[in-house]
Amino acid sequence: MAGKLMRAVQYSKYGGGASGLKHVEISVPKPKPDEVLIKVEAASLNAFDWKIQKGIVRPFLPRKFPYIPGTDIAGEVVQVGSTAKKFNAGDKVVTLFSHVAGGALAEYVVAKENLTVTRPQEVSAAEGAAIPLAALTAHQALTQGAGIKLDKTGERKNILVTAASGGVGHYAVQLAKLGNTHVTATCGTRNLNLVKELGADEVVDYKTPEGASLQSPSGKKYDYVIHCAMGISWSTFEPNLSANGKVIDLTPGLGAFMTAAKQRLTFSKKQLLPMFLTSKTENLEFVLNLAKEGKLKTVVDSRHPLSKAEDAWAIVMSGHATGKIIIEP
């Protein structure tokens, strides 16, 4: 495909929001020996994508401009690097890029073979693109952070999921219910029924006094909180936690790290635990298999063509998407 051009969406400086995205034509990337070239069938956006553009992790990301955002795609292998042996042209795959590389908002991407997995035929391209970062984050928080066994075994635990109708949250509710758990969830009024349908035992409107205080309607104290929202103080969590309760913060800011450090110094039994995803292909295969078996449902907020990526970007920036936002070339 040497010399062929493709459409892509990129930005060349920090800030600008949706209007900072630019549509360009650039050369189709060439796979290195251990990479595969993939024709993108669907990509999904995550909150961290626009936060990088905003500059919250400058100067570390992006490493250079212009930058093509996005980390989650599903597509078809069209070319295989000289040492890559796992895939053949025509294979349907899902991959998760690092935010350093980015690249999802384009017609073609290159991906490391060892970070790419086969997409089951029962899983659509949109579902495959939605799952990687969000579902893996929820999976890691529950299995590693909270020690939940996703086969109904283990000691019963009370779990709170905040922002439970969002990208990570709606997967966290479903995955938590695969374990021996009682799940309380917070979300907005319009999504109360949806989150209940996803399996939550109790659902609370975050705008009500009870929701704002994170109180369980049944009075339960939480052993773990899968915290997918922002702007909630430790003083709100603390009275709702069990004696050794932990808050696994998936959107940690500087304040979260300071709180966590103070708690370690004072040997607090109740703790805030900032978490960042460590992606593993076996975990991606696991959650895709759950989707194949109908045990993990993807809620799609909206679908947009690549030519209207700005519309999708504006929705994810609003913080009020229900489930995942999909972009399709």
Side-chain angles (χ1 to χ4, degrees):
M1 301 186 72
K4 184 176 179 180
L5 296 179
M6 68 174 185
R7 294 178 298 127
V9 175
Q10 63 186 30
Y11 56 86
S12 299
K13 61 181 179 180
Y14 291 114
S19 62
L21 301 180
K22 304 300 179 186
H23 294 267
V24 296
E25 281 197 343
I26 58 177
S27 297
V28 173
K30 181 180 179 180
K32 295 178 181 177
D34 62 342
E35 293 178 336
V36 291
L37 176 66
I38 302 168
K39 181 177 174 59
V40 177
E41 295 177 327
S44 74
L45 293 177
N46 297 287
F48 199 56
D49 294 326
W50 73 262
K51 292 176 183 178
I52 292 174
Q53 184 200 33
K54 186 178 180 180
I56 68 166
V57 286
R58 71 166 76 186
F60 304 106
L61 293 174
R63 293 281 179 84
K64 63 180 181 179
F65 292 114
Y67 178 73
I68 299 174
T71 56
D72 300 26
I73 71 105
E76 179 178 319
V77 174
V78 294
Q79 187 177 342
V80 179
S82 60
T83 64
K85 306 298 181 185
K86 185 177 174 183
F87 299 106
N88 297 305
D91 289 346
K92 301 292 188 178
V93 294
V94 172
T95 193
L96 173 64
F97 307 113
S98 72
H99 282 100
V100 173
L105 297 192
E107 291 184 288
Y108 293 88
V109 298
V110 288
K112 294 291 185 183
E113 184 188 46
N114 63 354
L115 298 177
T116 303
V117 302
T118 299
R119 171 168 63 88
Q121 64 179 10
E122 296 86 353
V123 178
S124 70
E127 290 174 308
I131 281 173
L133 188 142
L136 286 180
T137 298
H139 177 269
Q140 181 176 317
L142 287 161
T143 59
Q144 297 182 33
I148 303 296
K149 299 180 185 297
L150 304 185
D151 59 1
K152 297 291 185 184
T153 64
E155 181 182 352
R156 188 165 179 81
K157 295 176 182 177
N158 294 323
I159 305 292
L160 170 66
V161 179
T162 62
S165 60
V168 176
H170 89 285
Y171 288 130
V173 169
Q174 296 176 78
L175 290 171
K177 288 307 298 178
L178 295 177
N180 184 15
T181 63
H182 179 280
V183 175
T184 302
T186 67
C187 64
T189 306
R190 65 188 175 96
N191 291 317
L192 293 173
N193 290 336
L194 168 65
V195 174
K196 190 75 174 178
E197 290 170 2
L198 292 176
D201 299 287
E202 301 175 314
V203 187
V204 184
D205 186 340
Y206 76 95
K207 290 185 177 180
T208 64
E210 296 78 16
S213 64
L214 302 181
Q215 294 177 9
S216 163
S218 59
K220 288 179 169 57
K221 298 294 185 180
Y222 309 121
D223 300 308
Y224 289 93
V225 177
I226 309 303
H227 183 35
C228 310
M230 297 181 69
I232 301 177
S233 67
W234 172 254
S235 61
T236 303
F237 288 117
E238 197 276 335
N240 295 297
L241 297 176
S242 61
N244 295 296
K246 307 290 190 294
V247 176
I248 302 171
D249 191 346
L250 306 183
T251 58
L254 179 59
F257 288 99
M258 293 177 65
T259 298
K262 180 180 179 181
Q263 291 168 347
R264 286 195 296 270
L265 290 172
T266 57
F267 301 101
S268 173
K269 291 184 178 180
K270 298 182 180 182
Q271 294 181 346
L272 179 69
L273 305 174
M275 193 203 91
F276 292 104
L277 175 64
T278 302
S279 58
K280 297 180 179 179
T281 52
E282 58 264 35
N283 292 341
L284 182 53
E285 289 172 337
F286 177 80
V287 293
L288 282 169
N289 193 56
L290 290 177
K292 170 187 174 181
E293 296 172 353
K295 296 178 180 178
L296 189 67
K297 176 184 176 182
T298 293
V299 175
V300 175
D301 177 276
S302 54
R303 299 163 80 136
H304 308 263
L306 184 63
S307 61
K308 299 290 185 181
E310 300 93 332
D311 296 342
W313 199 263
I315 294 172
V316 76
M317 285 187 69
S318 76
H320 296 295
T322 299
K324 295 287 293 180
I325 298 167
I326 305 299
I327 296 178
E328 297 164 315

